[in-house]
Amino acid sequence: RQPFGEKKRKITDEELEKLLQSLKAHPGVVANGLVVELLMVEGQERAILIKNASGQIVRRVPDGEFAGLLDNIDQSNGRLFDKAA
């Protein structure tokens, strides 16, 4: 987590591409048949959507969480997100 008052770091386009590819290849995403998409709406922050096989959004990751997710994607515990979140 970010220390209190610290501004969240914006990731570069190259880091975003790496994050998307890592998410798409993540064992939990593949095993559960999930789809990872980037949502970009002009004038709004980007978001990563994780959808189940029927197209329902099961997780929405806002732009402000991209850096933290990128930092944690390579951990070997297999979980991408804190279940409490």
Side-chain angles (χ1 to χ4, degrees), residues 22-36:
S22 295
L23 284 172
K24 290 175 182 179
H26 190 276
V29 171
V30 174
N32 290 295
L34 302 175
V35 176
V36 177

Side-chain angles (χ1 to χ4, degrees), residues 68-80:
L69 186 56
L70 183 63
D71 292 342
N72 294 327
I73 194 87
D74 295 325
Q75 290 182 353
S76 61
N77 70 1
R79 283 191 289 161
L80 290 173

